[in-house]
Amino acid sequence: MALYKNGTLIIKSEDIERVISARPENTSNGRAYFKQTKLKNSTHISAAELKREYGNVPVVIRGDTGIVPKHGVDVSDIVPMPIEIDDKISAVDMDELSRTTDMGTNQIVDDYLEQHADMVTNTINALCCQAHKGSIDYMMKVGSGFERYQVNYGTVKSKSFSKQLANLTLGDAIKDLSEIKALCTAQGVGGPGEFIAAGDVYAKYIDLLTAAKQSENVKDGYLQLGPHKVLEDNDSYVDISKNGTKSTKSICDSKEVVYRALNAGQKLCFLRLDDVVQRTAVPIYSFTETGEGQRGTRLFTKSKPFPLVNVKGLANGKYQ
């Protein structure tokens, strides 16, 4: 548990673990795509890792040399940017710590760590959403202003439909979803997959199923259109441009559907932090420092997430 002694507050790893374990389930459909997490004890990711090939390989005749996996040839590095929160536990709360029990100390610390965990989780969700489109283009604080944090994974195949969303039939919808999925299977990425639909598309699909007396295919949390499972885009995050303009974004644009192959090699990596104490990769790390002039205590939280995707396992379609 958190330790408060002689005016100093020390946060331990079990405090972070306690807060994380008590958090509600992350229901972001963007984050849910990355079921595998990986700790990477480096501050960089090789650009070649984005170009690795996933899929089947030839068998080898006995006695011959093995297949050499294609890992990409790009020698450049990608430097993932960290999430860093610089907070302060107020002097009022610090005074409360001096008079409270150990349980009370944990409650005060948890209030701060829970807020930080929310901020880290929501930022990870936003990065995972952007990765579905084959690139990251996210706000990055530089001094007192904002620049862009940009990573290009490669080209995601897309299909533009000439038909109006309002005039869509159920047969059209199922055929269109099959065509979007085929963009991935044509690149050698098959197996199970699912769709994420913008709110307006999802609502249209419900109307089509209802009109066709197929309400049993309106499931709890998804729709079943023929062989295709469709989830609604439930993500929302705020992005800030270089000039300070705020905009709300999600995985899908209006009238858009995104397909994702579920076994395409995607993973969420956590890299080593820029920290002189915590020298190994962890999903999230918090620590304290006494404020100047004994005015409260500074509380820092760090994380360095990086979603890795295989663009061959992603595709999208857009209606008029």
Side-chain angles (χ1 to χ4, degrees):
M1 63 177 59
L3 176 64
Y4 181 75
K5 188 175 181 180
N6 299 327
T8 300
L9 177 64
I10 300 174
I11 291 177
K12 300 181 180 181
S13 59
E14 53 260 37
D15 296 306
I16 304 169
E17 292 167 3
R18 182 182 64 251
V19 169
I20 296 297
S21 64
R23 288 180 52 75
E25 178 186 2
N26 187 349
T27 58
S28 161
N29 281 333
R31 172 66 180 87
Y33 184 50
F34 300 87
K35 297 190 183 302
Q36 180 185 359
T37 58
K38 184 175 182 179
L39 301 179
K40 296 180 73 70
N41 286 303
S42 171
T43 57
H44 294 59
I45 282 186
S46 169
E49 189 162 353
L50 303 184
K51 300 177 181 179
R52 285 182 177 172
E53 292 198 356
Y54 296 86
N56 59 298
V57 296
V59 297
V60 178
I61 191 169
R62 294 176 64 190
D64 202 349
T65 57
I67 298 295
V68 178
K70 292 185 178 180
H71 297 291
V73 294
D74 196 327
V75 297
S76 61
D77 283 333
I78 294 168
V79 185
M81 295 294 110
I83 303 168
E84 295 196 2
I85 301 167
D86 183 349
D87 202 356
K88 188 172 78 170
I89 300 178
S90 69
V92 173
D93 279 346
M94 290 301 293
D95 180 63
E96 185 68 22
L97 285 171
S98 68
R99 294 183 283 108
T100 191
T101 62
D102 289 343
M103 182 177 293
T105 298
N106 280 341
Q107 290 172 346
I108 292 174
V109 169
D110 285 1
D111 285 344
Y112 282 89
L113 291 182
E114 284 169 2
Q115 182 185 21
H116 289 196
D118 279 341
M119 296 166 75
V120 170
T121 296
N122 289 332
T123 303
I124 292 173
N125 291 349
L127 295 175
C128 289
C129 287
Q130 291 202 345
H132 281 71
K133 294 297 187 68
S135 65
I136 289 175
D137 185 2
Y138 191 73
M139 57 187 173
M140 179 171 64
K141 179 181 176 295
V142 179
S144 60
F146 288 93
E147 295 293 335
R148 304 305 294 175
Y149 167 36
Q150 296 177 319
V151 177
N152 182 21
Y153 298 97
T155 301
V156 172
K157 296 286 187 180
S158 63
K159 191 171 186 66
S160 180
F161 298 108
S162 59
K163 58 182 73 72
Q164 297 286 328
L165 178 62
N167 299 329
L168 199 65
T169 68
L170 183 58
D172 288 336
I174 295 173
K175 179 176 177 289
D176 295 342
L177 295 177
S178 296
E179 290 181 2
I180 296 170
K181 180 179 179 179
L183 296 175
C184 292
T185 55
Q187 299 180 86
V189 181
E194 62 189 14
F195 291 85
I196 306 291
D200 50 1
V201 178
Y202 196 82
K204 180 62 177 180
Y205 287 169
I206 291 177
D207 289 344
L208 293 175
L209 289 171
T210 303
K213 296 182 170 35
Q214 295 185 25
S215 56
E216 70 277 6
N217 288 327
V218 181
K219 309 289 187 178
D220 183 15
Y222 69 97
L223 306 176
Q224 192 69 41
L225 272 75
H228 306 300
K229 180 179 181 180
V230 183
L231 307 173
E232 184 175 14
D233 185 357
N234 68 350
D235 282 282
S236 178
Y237 64 93
V238 174
D239 194 20
I240 303 176
S241 67
K242 288 183 180 182
N243 62 14
T245 302
K246 292 184 178 181
S247 58
T248 302
K249 300 180 179 180
S250 56
I251 295 177
C252 300
D253 295 330
S254 177
K255 301 182 180 179
E256 187 176 46
V257 183
V258 170
Y259 174 76
R260 57 193 194 186
L262 297 180
N263 297 325
Q266 72 279 4
K267 61 180 72 73
L268 178 61
C269 299
F270 290 94
L271 281 79
R272 180 165 62 83
L273 301 171
D274 304 315
D275 192 87
V276 296
V277 176
Q278 181 60 45
R279 302 296 295 164
T280 57
V282 290
I284 187 169
Y285 172 62
S286 295
F287 64 97
T288 58
E289 183 181 283
T290 302
E292 295 182 6
Q294 303 297 314
R295 293 182 180 275
T297 294
R298 294 177 71 188
L299 174 60
F300 301 88
T301 294
K302 298 182 178 183
S303 181
K304 194 180 285 187
F306 187 77
L308 270 173
V309 293
N310 173 13
V311 291
K312 292 181 180 180
L314 297 166
N316 59 73
K318 178 99 171 175
Y319 290 104
Q320 301 299 315

